[in-house]
């Protein structure tokens, strides 16, 4: 499956820039500046095109928010993690 995310602001650890993202087989395959023309080429072979205009795009970002069922008010103690429940997203809403 090939997805192209266009028009968004890509946020990385270093910066935030207007870029397009190519996702292939559930992995970020490439990033391109919107004016480069690469996005149009990617869209021709894409299964899905997502318009992220006005939104932030966080390639490879993982929503790690989970509830570990720790009782509040008591000292923390080791517990079995349920990290597998976090959701993976390519586009985050403003």
């Amino acid at each position: 499956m090939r997805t192209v995310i266009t028009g968004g602001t890509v946020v990385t650890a270093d910066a935030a820039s207007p870029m397009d993202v190519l996702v292939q087989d559930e992995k970020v395959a490439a990033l391109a500046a919107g004016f480069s023309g690469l996005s149009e080429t990617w869209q021709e072979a894409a299964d899905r095109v997502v318009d992220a205009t006005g939104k932030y795009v966080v390639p490879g970002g993982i929503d790690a928010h989970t509830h570990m069922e720790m009782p509040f008010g008591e000292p923390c103690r080791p517990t079995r993690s349920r990290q597998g429940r976090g959701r993976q997203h390519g586009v985050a809403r403003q």
Side-chain angles (χ1 to χ4, degrees):
M1 173 117 176
R2 191 175 186 149
T3 302
V4 178
I5 303 170
T6 64
T9 299
V10 173
V11 179
T12 66
D14 299 328
S17 304
M19 299 185 95
D20 297 330
V21 182
L22 172 63
V23 179
Q24 190 162 340
D25 300 323
E26 298 185 19
K27 294 182 182 176
V28 175
L31 300 172
F35 57 84
S36 69
L38 285 174
S39 180
E40 289 80 17
T41 302
W42 296 343
Q43 290 179 44
E44 292 173 7
D47 299 301
R48 181 175 169 210
V49 177
V50 177
D51 180 10
T53 302
K55 296 181 174 48
Y56 294 111
V57 181
V58 186
I62 296 174
D63 178 359
H65 178 99
T66 61
H67 294 267
M68 311 235 309
E69 297 181 19
M70 289 188 265
F72 293 98
E74 294 182 19
C76 292
R77 61 181 185 274
T79 184
R80 191 177 335 172
S81 172
R82 294 185 179 185
Q83 283 298 106
R85 290 189 176 184
R87 293 187 287 166
Q88 297 182 13
H89 293 286
V91 177
R93 297 180 187 197
Q94 285 186 347

